[in-house]
Amino acid sequence: MRAKLIDGKAIAESLREEVKQSVDERLSKGLPVPGLATVIVGDNPASRVYVRMKHKACEEVGILSIGHELPANAKQAQVEDLVRKLNADPKIHGILVQLPLPAGLDEESVLNTISLQKDVDGFHPINIGRLAQKGREPLFVPATPSGVMTLLEHTGVKLEGANAVVLGRSNIVGMPVSLLLVSANATVTICHSRTKDLPGIIREADILVAAVGIPEYVKGDWIKPGAIVIDVGVNRVEDDTLKRGYRLVGDVDFEEAGEVAGAITPVPGGVGPMTIATLLQNTLRAARLADGNG
Ligand code: NAP
């Protein structure tokens, strides 16, 4: 492989260590332990895995985390009442409602109920709106997109004036990443399922962020030589040689792209660990906001 590997695992590890030190410092100064509340509605197995990982990560850095679960048939009012209770709880600095919510619940309305100061996932419509406006700053930036930007920073690539292509326009990854890249003065092309000549557009990219959810979709000959490739995708593909019967791959054909790109993230071990590290950073920031030190 010719491309430099962008080691998200190691970068995330050092961020987690920084958060741990800051939490320890807070405690030595008599400041409150940062507290994160998670809310799961229903029994989506992937959501359970993600939330469990988030609690474990909190525990490792000394952040208090409290899980709340509601049944899949919970009513809108029940979910929003829980969020309001958490808004009012001084031990809780950050609230994370694990998405997606079961069909029938109004996700936007739930996200709107979260106090802006506790919106550590950064999905409150006002935080997203601020992200989209020139000269305005959200209180919190969504974790995965923020993690993508941290990885880019670590490569040393100059974002200003760079041609960046974002593959995917979802609310949780593609669109916020695009907005962050625009804020960093990159020239951004957003691609989606109706985009024509995807390979041609991607070949112009100095920076490619792939968040499409299709295993190994982006081929090596779509990549501009020397480009920086950030692969957000996490996809299971069958693999009978492994005991668990599957392996995880990204949205980019790693072997092929690794021969052409200047730097690339692996899957797993690229963006994934950054998402959790950024959530910890956001929770610490929420605790500082509550102290009056934003
Ligand atoms: P999503 O909501 O399904 O969005 C996928 C996007 O890709 C959509 O904008 C869709 O276009 C576009 N798309 C679908 N097929 C396409 C095609 N053939 N050509 C071009 N664009 C196409 O997915 P997501 O939630 O953003 O997640 C994307 C991937 O990132 C998934 O693999 C997910 O597991 C992973 N992920 C990882 C993390 C992490 O922490 N590492 C966090 C979140 C997500 P339309 O808008 O036109 O439908």
Side-chain angles (χ1 to χ4, degrees):
M1 193 175 87
R2 298 207 340 229
K4 193 167 168 279
L5 202 67
I6 306 168
D7 188 349
K9 203 169 162 213
I11 297 167
E13 192 50 52
S14 71
L15 295 181
R16 283 156 79 134
E17 191 48 44
E18 276 172 32
V19 171
K20 187 174 185 312
Q21 279 174 18
S22 302
V23 171
D24 290 346
E25 261 171 49
R26 288 180 65 79
L27 297 187
S28 67
K29 288 183 191 155
L31 290 165
V33 183
L36 174 74
T38 62
V39 177
I40 296 192
V41 187
D43 36 37
N44 179 327
S47 293
R48 284 180 184 277
V49 172
Y50 293 141
V51 167
R52 210 178 310 130
M53 285 162 68
K54 289 168 187 174
H55 283 284
K56 185 165 172 277
C58 283
E59 198 183 313
E60 283 167 7
V61 299
I63 289 178
L64 167 78
S65 67
I66 301 178
H68 296 266
E69 294 192 15
L70 290 173
N73 62 358
K75 297 271 179 294
Q76 186 78 24
Q78 221 178 324
V79 183
E80 292 181 9
D81 284 349
L82 173 58
V83 170
R84 281 194 203 92
K85 209 175 95 198
L86 297 170
N87 283 342
D89 184 341
K91 288 196 306 299
I92 297 302
H93 303 100
I95 302 170
L96 181 150
V97 177
Q98 186 66 38
L99 303 178
L101 292 173
L105 288 174
D106 179 346
E107 186 175 292
E108 190 184 350
S109 176
V110 172
L111 294 175
N112 230 332
T113 312
I114 299 174
S115 150
L116 261 191
Q117 285 72 20
K118 298 192 179 189
D119 177 36
V120 287
D121 238 357
F123 292 138
H124 189 293
I126 290 184
N127 271 326
I128 292 290
R130 284 186 184 163
L131 197 62
Q133 288 176 314
K134 198 172 171 189
R136 307 249 164 95
E137 292 264 335
L139 272 178
F140 298 98
V141 176
T144 302
S146 175
V148 167
M149 297 305 285
T150 308
L151 291 178
L152 285 172
E153 221 173 86
H154 272 262
T155 67
V157 66
K158 190 170 177 239
L159 295 176
E160 187 167 320
N163 272 342
V165 169
V166 179
L167 182 52
R169 58 175 166 180
S170 71
N171 289 340
I172 62 166
V173 189
M175 192 52 77
V177 165
S178 306
L179 296 171
L180 287 166
L181 285 165
V182 171
S183 299
N185 296 321
T187 302
V188 181
T189 306
I190 304 171
C191 300
H192 46 76
S193 63
R194 306 318 139 74
T195 298
K196 289 181 185 148
D197 187 22
L198 203 55
I201 294 172
I202 291 177
R203 275 187 201 112
E204 299 295 315
D206 305 311
I207 295 162
L208 170 67
V209 179
V212 71
I214 307 175
E216 300 175 325
Y217 186 59
V218 177
K219 302 301 169 201
D221 64 357
W222 300 10
I223 309 278
K224 179 177 175 178
I228 309 291
V229 177
I230 307 288
D231 190 351
V232 185
V234 182
N235 310 290
R236 281 183 182 197
V237 294
E238 267 184 44
D239 188 338
D240 296 335
T241 66
L242 298 176
K243 202 172 151 203
R244 62 183 179 181
Y246 69 89
R247 65 195 159 88
L248 294 179
V249 300
D251 291 344
V252 177
D253 185 319
F254 182 78
E255 295 304 324
E256 287 184 17
E259 293 301 323
V260 191
I264 188 167
T265 54
V267 177
V271 175
M274 296 300 295
T275 298
I276 293 193
T278 309
L279 172 69
L280 300 176
Q281 284 183 313
N282 283 356
T283 306
L284 175 65
R285 178 162 153 64
R288 287 182 176 150
L289 281 173
D291 304 337
N293 290 315

